[in-house]
Amino acid sequence: MSTTLAEPRMVLPGASAWPRYPSLYEINTWVWVSELAEKYGKNIDLSSVPSGEWDAIAAFGLDAVWFMGVWERSPAGIAIATQNQNLLAEFRRALPDFRAEDNVGSPYCVRRYVVDDYLGGPEGLAVARRELSKRGMNLILDFVPNHVAPDHPWVVEHPEYFIRGSARDIMQDRGSYTEVGGTVFACGRDPYFPAWPDVLQLNAFQPDLRRAAVETLTSIAQQCDGVRADMAMLFLNSVFERTWTARAGAQPTTEYWVDVISYVKGTHPGFLFIAEAYWNLEWELQQLGFDFCYDKALYDRLEHTDAENVRLHLCAALTYQNKLLRFIENHDERRAAATFSPAKERAVALAVATLPGMKLFHEGQFEGRKVRLPVFLGRRPHEHFDREVYGFYTALFEALNRAAFCDGRWWLCVRTGRPDNPSFRNLVSWSWVHGDERYLIVVNLSDRPAQGRIHVPWGDAAGTSWKLIDLLSGAFYERDGDELQSRGLYVSLGRWSYHLFQCLRTRSREAT
């Protein structure tokens, strides 16, 4: 049975504007607002954030803010979490003085897609969006396709939207099924892990659920400029059928994401869809309409493997790379400052920040926070403000606040070395060009010195002298273009060191 949706009747004005390679800043909204209230000694929600706080975010030159967790939290979900001893132990590890009221509920256990009153409700969000827009920033919010809270209105009004079970299922697998109002529902799940006990599983194959999702997303699209779709790959037809088999019913002839994305983009052109995606399904999701998909593979290679594995990952076609979202931390991963040494964090941060695609940064990353906070918590521990980390990110964003890095052309550079010195394999390098602007990035992704030659891909370097200015260190070098073109730029970098060169043509052969 087909579930193709009706074509949208009209296109609304005011389409969002996005650069080709935008930068995104994730904020844990509940915690952020709570800390601002403490900082200023008064009640604060999204409608009353002081202007200086918006200015501080805008100062980094970011293109968008992701307010993670604005939707109404679930009292039922909070009650379930309070009984989960594993979760309580995790809460206490992150927040040693944890109190029961610190559990404000998971933002991915959505009761209603209405901004929580604690955050200022829909009116508060509208004010915040205007403040961001005045500073040239768009707004991203969450969408959770896979599941909802046990007290979501659909549970009573539309039980047909869900994967359901029987009393026997509860007896055989109490952790995966629960009863609400006399009906047995499956708990939401990722097929590789135990079910999430605080949420109920929606049925991706149910035609009316798809229509309801379109209505929900259309409402969200009136409040922001894009969504980050939680665990988007779970709603691929092939994945959903493997996970739920006959319980899901007949597989539709169309994909869920094609149905909902095409409709929403038809009424809200420029509205961005970001997929949290794993299992090497990024390309498939891109083909179904997602503008960007998580690049977890790059994160894992940066954390666990060597420069050559990173380089091989970056050899993929630009049509694929242009639609990846790069990061070194987010609310699901450990903090970068706790994962990498200080030197390695700077190297991988520079690498990620200068690649094509969308770049994601996490509130607290610039300050050197090390505690990964469970998303249930509305409060986090006090941590030391790391001025060196903050200074690095401030300098990095100042260097990257150039058109080339958001709208330019990117090339991966070849690097070579002597047969008796294989350390060049620890180097990765790429170039950006935008009109007359040229930049060259070289990073030593290893804990030992590396030497090699970087071959610039410009094609017209010869016959010119070049001045290479490192925008992070302030050092500069003069190099002959003939050598750059033929032998390449010789570099020698210490462990986890890097260059971010602005390359300026200083004189041509004819001029001499």
Side-chain angles (χ1 to χ4, degrees):
M1 177 173 59
S2 172
T3 62
T4 303
L5 299 162
E7 289 297 315
R9 293 178 178 270
M10 64 179 180
V11 174
L12 301 178
S16 303
W18 291 93
R20 187 180 187 188
Y21 302 124
S23 55
L24 176 63
Y25 187 58
E26 178 189 1
I27 292 177
N28 184 328
T29 318
W30 195 292
V31 172
W32 185 65
V33 165
S34 299
E35 289 185 344
L36 289 179
E38 182 178 353
K39 176 179 176 180
Y40 289 95
K42 62 180 181 180
N43 290 332
I44 286 179
D45 60 31
L46 289 174
S47 70
S48 55
V49 173
S51 295
E53 300 296 334
W54 300 123
D55 293 340
I57 296 171
F60 284 98
L62 298 152
D63 298 302
V65 167
W66 165 20
F67 278 140
M68 191 276 288
V70 302
W71 306 123
E72 189 175 302
R73 306 290 173 110
S74 163
I78 294 171
I80 293 169
T82 300
Q83 302 302 314
N84 188 316
Q85 295 304 311
N86 290 332
L87 272 181
L88 293 175
E90 184 182 350
F91 297 165
R92 294 188 179 99
R93 281 193 295 270
L95 189 63
D97 63 340
F98 167 76
R99 304 184 299 265
E101 57 266 30
D102 293 323
N103 175 16
V104 298
S106 168
Y108 298 100
C109 175
V110 177
R111 187 187 189 194
R112 290 190 306 159
Y113 281 95
V114 177
V115 179
D116 200 286
D117 287 341
Y118 180 82
L119 302 175
E123 298 81 9
L125 182 70
V127 171
R129 186 186 185 191
R130 288 196 295 270
E131 293 296 329
L132 292 172
S133 182
K134 285 194 299 187
R135 293 162 175 83
M137 292 181 286
N138 286 333
L139 175 61
I140 296 291
L141 300 177
D142 292 297
F143 175 63
V144 188
N146 188 65
H147 50 260
V148 295
D151 48 357
H152 189 288
W154 287 348
V155 176
V156 173
E157 297 169 4
H158 293 286
E160 70 276 11
Y161 290 176
F162 296 83
I163 297 289
R164 284 169 288 175
S166 64
R168 183 177 180 181
D169 289 320
I170 293 182
M171 292 177 59
Q172 293 180 339
D173 190 357
R174 184 170 295 275
S176 299
Y177 292 86
T178 189
E179 183 178 337
V180 180
T183 301
V184 175
F185 295 91
C187 295
R189 69 174 305 161
D190 168 336
Y192 297 106
F193 295 95
W196 299 300
D198 61 336
V199 292
L200 305 184
Q201 178 67 52
L202 292 166
N203 186 350
F205 292 173
Q206 220 283 339
D208 291 334
L209 181 276
R210 294 190 177 193
R211 296 187 180 94
V214 164
E215 292 178 7
T216 298
L217 277 164
T218 300
S219 173
I220 293 173
Q222 294 167 1
Q223 303 173 70
C224 63
D225 306 289
V227 290
R228 176 262 196 191
D230 185 70
M231 300 289 281
M233 72 287 177
L234 294 180
F235 261 34
L236 291 171
N237 282 351
S238 58
V239 172
F240 201 81
E241 185 169 60
R242 287 197 304 271
T243 305
W244 294 105
T245 60
R247 292 183 186 273
Q251 182 177 140
T253 59
T254 57
E255 288 279 354
Y256 173 96
W257 289 118
V258 170
D259 285 349
V260 300
I261 292 176
S262 61
Y263 189 96
V264 174
K265 280 184 174 287
T267 56
H268 292 78
F271 192 78
L272 214 66
F273 279 85
I274 301 168
E276 180 193 15
Y278 308 108
W279 314 337
N280 297 316
L281 292 170
E282 297 84 1
W283 173 256
E284 184 173 346
L285 288 163
Q286 289 176 6
Q287 305 317 298
L288 299 181
F290 277 98
D291 299 285
F292 297 100
C293 298
Y294 272 36
D295 191 359
K296 181 64 159 59
L298 176 64
Y299 173 84
D300 289 340
R301 293 185 186 210
L302 287 169
E303 183 181 4
H304 299 296
T305 67
D306 58 16
E308 178 63 10
N309 275 289
V310 172
R311 188 190 69 83
L312 290 172
H313 183 70
L314 299 177
C315 288
L318 267 180
T319 50
Y320 172 66
Q321 294 204 62
N322 284 347
K323 300 178 76 173
L324 292 175
L325 181 148
R326 327 281 196 167
F327 56 87
I328 61 169
E329 70 166 71
N330 57 57
H331 71 263
D332 288 312
E333 307 292 348
R334 291 195 306 154
R335 288 286 192 177
T339 302
F340 307 108
S341 69
K344 184 175 180 180
E345 180 184 352
R346 296 180 190 197
V348 298
L350 170 63
V352 163
T354 56
L355 288 173
M358 177 176 268
K359 275 74 72 172
L360 170 65
F361 303 93
H362 188 198
E363 190 266 328
Q365 180 178 344
F366 303 160
E367 294 80 17
R369 284 188 171 272
K370 294 184 177 180
V371 176
R372 188 187 76 84
L373 193 74
V375 293
F376 293 78
L377 299 185
R379 183 171 65 93
R380 63 184 172 188
H382 173 76
E383 294 189 64
H384 170 71
F385 179 88
D386 193 318
R387 294 189 180 278
E388 289 189 8
V389 171
Y390 190 81
F392 164 76
Y393 280 107
T394 301
L396 177 62
F397 277 93
E398 183 178 351
L400 297 181
N401 193 17
R402 291 164 162 80
F405 297 108
C406 58
D407 282 306
R409 297 181 62 193
W410 179 89
W411 286 276
L412 185 65
C413 297
V414 174
R415 77 278 192 274
T416 58
R418 301 197 317 267
D420 62 344
N421 183 4
S423 67
F424 74 92
R425 296 183 181 276
N426 292 325
L427 301 173
V428 292
S429 178
W430 41 87
S431 170
W432 286 95
V433 175
H434 185 263
D436 293 332
E437 295 181 68
R438 302 190 188 203
Y439 300 90
L440 182 66
I441 293 89
V442 189
V443 184
N444 177 7
L445 287 179
S446 77
D447 60 359
R448 58 187 68 89
Q451 299 82 38
R453 287 190 175 271
I454 305 301
H455 299 268
V456 297
W458 307 327
D460 61 349
T464 303
S465 294
W466 293 86
K467 185 175 184 178
L468 278 55
I469 305 170
D470 193 317
L471 296 176
L472 294 176
S473 72
F476 66 90
Y477 309 86
E478 292 187 354
R479 293 293 183 265
D480 179 71
D482 291 349
E483 182 177 357
L484 291 181
Q485 192 79 55
S486 58
R487 300 182 62 201
L489 173 69
Y490 177 78
V491 296
S492 179
L493 286 169
R495 58 189 299 272
W496 307 118
S497 294
Y498 42 78
H499 290 304
L500 172 50
F501 285 133
Q502 182 179 18
C503 306
L504 302 175
R505 195 189 307 265
T506 59
R507 59 187 175 86
S508 66
R509 183 172 298 153
E510 290 76 9
T512 59

